[in-house]
Amino acid sequence: MNNGIAGTTLRINLTTGEIERILSDEEVYRRWHGGRGVIAKILYDEVPRNADPLGPENIFIVNVGIMSGCFIPAGSKVEFGSVSPLTNGHGDSNMGGHFGPMLKFAGYDMIIFTGISPKPVYLYLDNDIIELRDASRYWGMGSLDCEKQLKKDLGEDFEIATIGPAGENGVLFSCITHDFGRQAGRTGQGAVMGSKKLKAIAVRGNRSIGVHDLESLKKQVMEIILRTKTHPNMEPWQKYGTSFFVKWSNDNAVLPAYNFQTTYFEDVDKIDGNQLVEQCLISHKACFGCWMNCGKYTKAVVPGKPIVHLEGPEYETTATCGSNLGMKDINHVAYINWMLDNLGMDTMSGGGVTAFAMECFERGLITEKDLEGHTLKWGSLDDVEHFLDMVACRRGIGEWFAGGSKQASEKIGHGSEKFAMQVKGQEMSGYDGRWAPGMLLSYMTADIGAHHNRSWTITVDIEEGRESVEGRAKIVVYLQHIRPLFDTWCICRLFWGEVDVTAEEIVESLNHITGWGVTVDEALRTSEMIWNLTRCHYIERNRANGRAFDYPPARSWEDKIPSGPGKGKGVTRDQIEQMLDEYYEARGWDKNGNPTREVLEDLGLVFAADNLEKLGFLGKPIPGGIPPVRGKKYKPKAF
Ligand code: SF4
């Protein structure tokens, strides 16, 4: 096909081993744009609402989107999706590297796994050769070790996505790893793979991808290459990757420290981007088709421990596993990063869960007896190493924390839910939103739980005034439409968003690839449709008004920031209610946070309106009708 679509979709029943080849449906891609969009529709249609996310009825999907693997900058992503065991709603997560493009080069747009294999397997794809192979000898291996072994056994030119022991053991925040350090970290996609006894996917291919208008695409891409090469943002991203943000976040009072107790880390200079480059960096690393090379191939040298090699730590890991755990040495942060990568756990949730456990230990809610004789003190690498091993193996109270900090706080009690820093069961990324209200609202309303990639507003919060929350909702809604488009098209937002490439230019590339003739407004509307569908899915599974799930933990409004430049700052409960009211209004939902029939029908989601109505959660009609432009009035400088 000459439209960015490789041509083949695989449906693999892991219970029976049956493999079905289907022609990829261009109509579906035209309507849902691939990646997160197609995944959202399949999960909504095919997973029974009462299905156990770790049971045979859940579906695990790999989708490469339209633009990944094409002749464009940073067309490197692949999206994974299933009902999330962490949030019990629509779940998706993506990663860069080379796996997605390679899947397309082998001829595949999507793989849909159903059922549960009777024994550990991995999927072997070599152009037309498709085999489910025995993975018994790889089961139990660390993610990084398994990738190395599979490459040794199959050939260096295979691209591998794998899970670690945590995914095998059903740790709910397990990730998928590729390229020795690229992760689809969020929403527990690794746990779903593990529940299906699917250890890895190995792929090799050498086909090309047809596009609609190659000459125009080449001309446009060359112009973008020449222009962005000298963009002032390019150099810091190339030199430090995302780690140059660590000090900036501390200076701007959004860096979480000591389990989000404060936003000021006194030892930030010991873990920031300069330390990473000076102490750990071996070489720069990039994904397919990218010259921003934000990846940092590094080593961690810690006396008494083996020297380990990894990719990272990038910003989120440094925040959640560095300052948030009180770590005062970049080598220690890197070592934790490596441990989590090899065990196969998301560093953001892994750091968040560990920080929560540390505060529980500090408050005496868990003790050395619970920790097999160990302590769990801020800044202690040995303590963290032992705790993570307990979690990955679900040993003792590791079992509680393997369910994430929300589930652990329900077990621990004593008011600990106040400082389990998550929303909808997913731990917050590496930003504290108490003095960045738009960021807090982004966490509260993100369809996959508290994740920053759906909407990131901190520079807007600073520009628009951090004390007031008014107007922030419409900005969040706009960003929640534009940013997830990158996960829909499977291209890297970091590249396209940070060097001033415009939304119009990205859509122009999409049109050169597909010939669809899409406008930016149409793309935003598609994104809004996806957002509403995942909201309906969440409400249908969890059977309560949407508003009930949109609150952050009470620390977010009860505790003011105690130190640093944000000292004394924080939002109030009233401001949180105000933001939610304004957010629902901007989306055309009712006060309960439930989508209305007017909006759903306007987006072509009549079936979802009917389903919500049957369950009694359809939003009440909005006085005055639906807002004519939902979230489209605000256009930030960057996305
Ligand atoms: Fe990969 Fe970084 Fe380039 Fe994005 S900017 S494609 S994450 S190297």
Side-chain angles (χ1 to χ4, degrees):
M1 296 191 207
N2 284 331
N3 51 12
I5 298 174
T8 302
T9 291
L10 296 177
R11 271 195 182 262
I12 301 181
N13 183 330
L14 289 163
T15 307
T16 62
E18 203 180 331
I19 297 172
E20 194 187 350
R21 296 172 64 110
I22 309 162
L23 202 61
S24 299
D25 186 342
E26 192 189 346
E27 277 307 300
V28 172
Y29 281 84
R30 179 67 186 83
R31 174 136 199 244
W32 297 91
H33 285 211
R36 153 179 159 81
V38 168
I39 287 171
K41 181 68 165 59
I42 294 173
L43 294 178
Y44 185 89
D45 285 348
E46 297 190 23
V47 183
R49 294 296 177 266
N50 59 357
D52 175 358
L54 298 182
E57 291 179 306
N58 198 3
I59 296 174
F60 174 64
I61 306 171
V62 187
N63 190 295
V64 199
I66 291 288
M67 298 173 83
S68 189
C70 292
F71 178 71
I72 51 162
S76 61
K77 298 282 183 172
V78 58
E79 195 80 10
F80 300 92
S82 62
V83 168
S84 165
L86 199 57
T87 69
N88 196 37
H90 161 95
D92 65 57
S93 189
N94 69 72
M95 68 185 187
H98 305 263
F99 179 86
M102 187 64 96
L103 198 57
K104 249 181 169 177
F105 299 153
Y108 307 101
D109 300 296
M110 175 157 64
I111 312 170
I112 303 170
F113 293 95
T114 59
I116 288 183
S117 171
K119 60 174 188 191
V121 289
Y122 74 93
L123 178 66
Y124 175 92
L125 296 171
D126 188 0
N127 282 329
D128 285 335
I129 305 169
I130 312 166
E131 294 171 1
L132 279 175
R133 291 186 170 182
D134 183 15
S136 305
R137 66 176 294 233
Y138 305 106
W139 200 253
M141 277 187 187
S143 298
L144 306 175
D145 303 330
C146 180
E147 182 170 2
K148 197 167 164 191
Q149 191 61 49
L150 274 167
K151 277 186 170 271
K152 202 168 157 199
D153 295 347
L154 304 178
E156 283 293 325
D157 50 350
F158 273 84
E159 298 296 347
I160 316 279
T162 181
I163 59 166
E168 296 170 12
N169 295 335
V171 174
L172 299 193
F173 49 92
S174 300
C175 64
I176 301 167
T177 292
H178 156 65
D179 201 22
F180 302 101
R182 290 276 154 193
Q183 274 86 16
R186 308 244 73 187
T187 72
Q189 297 303 312
V192 177
M193 258 181 96
S195 73
K196 297 196 171 305
K197 295 269 189 300
L198 179 64
K199 177 70 178 175
I201 304 171
V203 61
R204 178 172 67 178
N206 60 3
R207 299 190 170 124
S208 54
I209 301 166
V211 298
H212 171 73
D213 184 350
L214 184 59
E215 282 315 307
S216 300
L217 185 66
K218 267 163 55 181
K219 193 164 164 263
Q220 190 205 7
V221 167
M222 288 315 294
E223 193 275 315
I224 291 173
I225 290 174
L226 293 174
R227 173 159 50 96
T228 56
K229 217 164 70 162
T230 51
H231 191 285
N233 286 355
M234 194 58 97
E235 199 192 330
W237 285 110
Q238 288 174 326
K239 186 170 178 194
Y240 299 104
T242 54
S243 72
F244 85 84
F245 242 44
V246 176
K247 190 152 184 343
W248 182 93
S249 280
N250 201 47
D251 292 344
N252 287 283
V254 291
L255 185 72
Y258 304 100
N259 192 35
F260 288 80
Q261 292 187 69
T262 184
T263 60
Y264 178 69
F265 189 53
E266 62 284 358
D267 291 294
V268 72
D269 291 343
K270 295 175 183 161
I271 61 167
D272 69 2
N274 284 322
Q275 294 307 314
L276 181 74
V277 169
E278 278 171 29
Q279 294 193 45
C280 302
L281 182 69
I282 297 171
S283 69
H284 304 289
K285 195 164 171 251
C287 305
F288 176 84
C290 183
W291 56 95
M292 193 175 250
N293 57 250
C294 77
K296 302 296 151 224
Y297 179 58
T298 57
K299 65 177 188 305
V301 183
V302 178
K305 301 202 185 292
I307 294 173
V308 294
H309 296 88
L310 67 149
E311 182 172 339
E314 44 75 67
Y315 171 82
E316 297 295 338
T317 310
T318 308
T320 53
C321 301
S323 51
N324 211 29
L325 305 184
M327 292 292 157
K328 298 177 181 177
D329 184 330
I330 189 65
N331 283 285
H332 291 197
V333 183
Y335 195 86
I336 294 169
N337 191 160
W338 172 83
M339 273 192 286
L340 286 162
D341 284 359
N342 208 30
L343 290 168
M345 293 190 270
D346 170 35
T347 57
M348 285 179 254
S349 279
V353 164
T354 307
F356 170 65
M358 283 175 150
E359 188 167 345
C360 287
F361 182 80
E362 186 178 53
R363 291 169 179 266
L365 300 178
I366 58 174
T367 64
E368 286 179 43
K369 202 167 150 225
D370 299 316
L371 294 162
E372 302 174 330
H374 288 252
T375 55
L376 193 48
K377 292 186 178 155
W378 303 114
S380 168
L381 179 61
D382 286 338
D383 286 356
V384 171
E385 187 172 23
H386 179 262
F387 175 74
L388 290 178
D389 189 58
M390 286 182 77
V391 175
C393 300
R394 305 188 77 114
R395 215 170 55 242
I397 62 160
E399 171 82 24
W400 296 356
F401 292 93
S405 48
K406 180 170 186 280
Q407 287 192 17
S409 72
E410 286 161 7
K411 298 269 185 352
I412 291 163
H414 296 284
S416 60
E417 65 277 5
K418 172 183 166 173
F419 55 89
M421 303 307 288
Q422 52 75 39
V423 180
K424 298 184 181 70
Q426 176 145 268
E427 286 67 30
M428 290 179 177
S429 310
Y431 306 96
D432 189 314
R434 277 177 290 182
W435 198 31
M439 196 64 229
L440 188 61
L441 183 65
S442 301
Y443 283 150
M444 289 157 59
T445 55
D447 59 348
I448 57 165
H451 187 38
H452 66 288
N453 92 329
R454 295 300 201 247
S455 158
W456 188 92
T457 67
I458 294 169
T459 46
V460 179
D461 282 315
I462 292 168
E463 279 168 20
E464 303 255 326
R466 307 174 74 165
E467 315 296 335
S468 162
V469 302
E470 206 174 332
R472 224 48 60 94
K474 67 180 183 193
I475 297 167
V476 170
V477 171
Y478 176 81
L479 288 168
Q480 286 178 343
H481 292 167
I482 196 146
R483 284 178 69 116
L485 277 171
F486 293 93
D487 305 344
T488 306
W489 296 327
C490 293
I491 56 178
C492 179
R493 189 213 61 82
L494 198 63
F495 177 90
W496 292 82
E498 297 298 336
V499 286
D500 294 332
V501 184
T502 65
E504 284 72 17
E505 284 177 303
I506 304 171
V507 167
E508 194 184 330
S509 288
L510 175 73
N511 287 330
H512 290 326
I513 291 169
T514 60
W516 288 348
V518 178
T519 62
V520 172
D521 274 351
E522 190 187 332
L524 288 169
R525 191 176 159 80
T526 301
S527 200
E528 185 185 9
M529 174 178 70
I530 299 165
W531 195 273
N532 275 267
L533 190 69
T534 58
R535 180 72 170 190
C536 292
H537 197 170
Y538 194 86
I539 293 170
E540 286 174 37
R541 279 192 69 83
N542 291 283
R543 303 284 170 103
N545 291 324
R547 191 173 189 121
F549 305 105
D550 288 342
Y551 288 91
R555 167 159 291 161
S556 305
W557 69 84
E558 284 183 359
D559 297 354
K560 301 295 173 218
I561 297 168
S563 57
K567 189 172 178 184
K569 304 292 185 186
V571 291
T572 63
R573 174 74 191 231
D574 285 349
Q575 285 180 310
I576 283 177
E577 300 294 353
Q578 184 189 338
M579 284 199 291
L580 281 179
D581 286 343
E582 288 180 9
Y583 177 85
Y584 300 143
E585 193 184 332
R587 283 209 165 278
W589 298 350
D590 75 357
K591 289 251 179 208
N592 290 321
N594 295 338
T596 57
R597 180 169 288 282
E598 294 101 308
V599 168
L600 294 175
E601 287 196 352
D602 184 49
L603 294 168
L605 301 173
V606 179
F607 56 94
D610 292 344
N611 289 339
L612 277 192
E613 189 162 38
K614 271 186 226 146
L615 294 171
F617 295 112
L618 186 64
K620 293 180 184 57
I622 309 153
I626 57 175
V629 254
R630 298 182 294 275
K632 295 185 192 94
K633 277 184 180 154
Y634 181 79
K635 298 247 178 195
K637 282 188 219 132
F639 37 79

